[in-house]
Amino acid sequence: MAKHISPQELQKKLGNVQVSGGLCSYNLAYCEKLAPLINEINDLKAERNAIILAHTYVKPEIVYGVADFTGDSYGLSKDAQRAKADVIVFAAVRFMGETAKILNPGKEVLIPSEFNGCTLADSIRGEDVMKLRERYPQHTFMCYINTSAEVKAHCDVCVTSSNVYTIAEKIPNDKIFFLPDKLMGKNLQNELLRRGVHKEILFSEGSCYVHEQYDPDMIENLRLRYPGLLVVSHPECSPGIIEKSDYIGSTSTMIEYVKESPSSHFLMLTECGLTSRLQVEMPGKTFVGSCTQCRYMKSNTLEGIRDVLRSPKPQDKVEIAPELIHKARRCIDAMFHYVESPATSIAHGS
Ligand code: 13P
Ligand code: SF4
């Protein structure tokens, strides 16, 4: 049996988390409801030889109560690749569960939430990529990890927020079609120019509904109110936000940046789960402004995780046809290749 947590211990851990300006807080009564579920899930994990991967955006009781690995989409895909357990429960969104399945075709991969979309991943289908490839035969097709297995199967290389700029720079082609995020596409164009790299970057029309809504004007107002404020943004934000930010990075590198910084006040322009983690792990720092919640990530619950571990329904299991796994895997492996080797030559072909 796994080690059990008491409501008091949970409250001590999560007591500093303030979501929606304090509307949601981890008081003792709430922790009394959560602790038995956490303990049941940890026992089920041991019984089923299962591990739980959780993206930083999911609820803090998942991140700190039951997750074995937490991080950004790149880190979690590496954790999935190394996984030894028989069962992987992915508390995040569907494309992340699919990535885990592509990397572990022989394992059972379970997704605990049925509301597991993503406005980026849902903005483009495999057949759209096929048409684009016909139109732009000279371009290397680089997809964001926030895409379905089917889309990955039609692309040459996958990227995440932690490596998009470096991989675009390394690709031995000066014509790149990036999909599906138009804001990240514009940010990529700007960053490559800043680095003195001249490539044609085309992109499709998707966007993340969480990150596209931040208004660059509010940054000035907050800087006036909090002298020394550091603005930390995700590359899915608009170019206007990126231009005014002190640091841009993936969810995991944003955490590292705040940890290393001597400053006391930060504006985190990303999903609320990141601020929740910082409030738990860096209680001495102050996070100003309001964050935004991703309705898909936040639809993961302890009850949903318990239920998929107890008796998964067919729709909870990630199933991908072997041929699709094979093609999508090439696209993900190309990303690992670029990240891990300094070489710039890699053969692409769809
Ligand atoms: P990260 O790769 O930074 O975790 O981002 C994933 C995501 O969905 C951001 O909205
Ligand atoms: Fe998709 Fe945006 Fe949610 Fe990330 S925050 S999972 S990009 S909808």
Side-chain angles (χ1 to χ4, degrees), residues 257-325:
Y257 176 80
V258 174
K259 197 184 274 176
E260 300 298 320
S261 169
S263 287
S264 58
H265 285 68
F266 299 86
L267 170 63
M268 306 303 299
L269 293 178
T270 192
E271 211 274 347
C272 296
L274 193 104
T275 309
S276 301
R277 276 197 63 187
L278 296 169
Q279 286 167 335
V280 172
E281 292 170 31
M282 290 161 234
K285 309 231 180 207
T286 304
F287 303 97
V288 309
S290 59
C291 53
T292 325
Q293 301 203 45
C294 170
R295 58 181 176 250
Y296 307 107
M297 289 283 190
K298 288 295 194 265
S299 71
N300 288 277
T301 60
L302 289 176
E303 287 84 353
I305 294 174
R306 177 204 53 201
D307 293 348
V308 292
L309 278 169
R310 265 189 191 161
S311 51
K313 298 190 283 302
Q315 64 267 31
D316 301 329
K317 297 183 187 177
V318 181
E319 303 287 4
I320 309 174
E323 176 59 11
L324 202 55
I325 290 198

Side-chain angles (χ1 to χ4, degrees), residues 61-339:
E61 60 267 33
I62 298 176
V63 170
Y64 294 103
V66 298
D68 298 284
F69 299 95
T70 305
D72 64 6
S73 49
Y74 184 78
L76 288 173
S77 63
K78 293 301 285 182
D79 293 330
Q81 196 184 26
R82 287 188 287 257
K84 295 272 181 291
D86 298 324
V87 179
I88 298 173
V89 178
F90 215 132
V93 285
R94 183 161 192 90
F95 75 82
M96 293 193 190
E98 284 189 351
T99 305
K101 183 70 182 178
I102 293 163
L103 294 167
N104 290 282
K107 293 192 197 297
E108 187 170 25
V109 178
L110 301 170
I111 306 185
S113 159
E114 282 169 31
F115 191 57
N116 50 38
C118 160
T119 57
L120 280 171
D122 297 341
S123 72
I124 192 158
R125 297 160 306 169
E127 61 191 82
D128 302 321
V129 185
M130 279 164 73
K131 285 186 193 143
L132 286 166
R133 290 200 81 123
E134 275 169 25
R135 206 163 146 200
Y136 300 105
Q138 310 280 316
H139 287 67
T140 295
F141 274 68
M142 185 173 95
C143 64
Y144 194 26
I145 197 164
N146 296 37
T147 45
S148 65
E150 203 199 350
V151 164
K152 288 185 181 79
H154 289 290
C155 290
D156 300 306
V157 57
C158 169
V159 297
T160 74
S161 55
S162 66
N163 54 40
V164 52
Y165 301 140
T166 318
I167 291 182
E169 209 178 331
K170 283 183 180 178
I171 286 173
N173 187 353
D174 59 6
K175 292 184 193 316
I176 294 175
F177 197 107
F178 174 64
L179 55 92
D181 189 343
K182 65 176 175 196
L183 299 179
M184 222 163 149
K186 285 184 195 152
N187 294 331
L188 174 60
Q189 281 177 334
N190 294 341
E191 178 61 19
L192 290 186
L193 283 180
R194 201 187 62 79
R195 295 182 184 194
V197 177
H198 297 275
K199 294 198 179 199
E200 180 185 67
I201 308 288
L202 303 180
F203 45 82
S204 58
E205 277 303 302
S207 58
C208 163
Y209 87 102
V210 172
H211 291 89
E212 72 183 350
Q213 58 186 279
Y214 300 122
D215 171 12
D217 290 342
M218 56 95 189
I219 293 183
E220 303 311 326
N221 299 338
L222 286 167
R223 284 201 197 276
L224 286 174
R225 268 175 55 197
Y226 302 99
L229 179 72
L230 290 180
V231 180
V232 184
S233 307
H234 195 275
E236 290 168 17
C237 293
S238 68
I241 291 286
I242 299 300
E243 204 183 302
K244 293 184 176 181
S245 298
D246 297 289
Y247 180 78
I248 302 110
S250 77
T251 47
S252 290
T253 63
M254 287 162 103
I255 293 177
E256 286 310 306
Y257 176 80
V258 174
K259 197 184 274 176
E260 300 298 320
S261 169
S263 287
S264 58
H265 285 68
F266 299 86
L267 170 63
M268 306 303 299
L269 293 178
T270 192
E271 211 274 347
C272 296
L274 193 104
T275 309
S276 301
R277 276 197 63 187
L278 296 169
Q279 286 167 335
V280 172
E281 292 170 31
M282 290 161 234
K285 309 231 180 207
T286 304
F287 303 97
V288 309
S290 59
C291 53
T292 325
Q293 301 203 45
C294 170
R295 58 181 176 250
Y296 307 107
M297 289 283 190
K298 288 295 194 265
S299 71
N300 288 277
T301 60
L302 289 176
E303 287 84 353
I305 294 174
R306 177 204 53 201
D307 293 348
V308 292
L309 278 169
R310 265 189 191 161
S311 51
K313 298 190 283 302
Q315 64 267 31
D316 301 329
K317 297 183 187 177
V318 181
E319 303 287 4
I320 309 174
E323 176 59 11
L324 202 55
I325 290 198
H326 176 70
K327 289 187 176 164
R329 174 85 198 226
R330 281 197 323 202
C331 178
I332 298 172
D333 280 346
M335 168 175 74
F336 293 145
H337 172 91
Y338 277 118
V339 170

Side-chain angles (χ1 to χ4, degrees), residues 4-60:
H4 281 189
I5 191 165
S6 70
Q8 289 77 10
E9 285 167 325
L10 189 63
Q11 211 249 331
K12 195 165 168 223
K13 181 137 224 158
L14 301 184
N16 210 32
V17 173
Q18 299 277 315
V19 180
S20 301
L23 268 179
C24 168
S25 64
Y26 289 81
N27 55 33
L28 190 57
Y30 190 39
C31 291
E32 275 166 355
K33 274 174 51 184
L34 299 176
L37 268 167
I38 290 175
N39 294 330
E40 187 182 351
I41 290 168
N42 286 327
D43 289 344
L44 281 165
K45 264 176 18 186
E47 268 169 43
R48 296 211 54 201
N49 189 22
I51 54 164
I52 298 180
L53 306 185
H55 190 269
T56 289
Y57 292 165
V58 302
K59 295 174 176 173

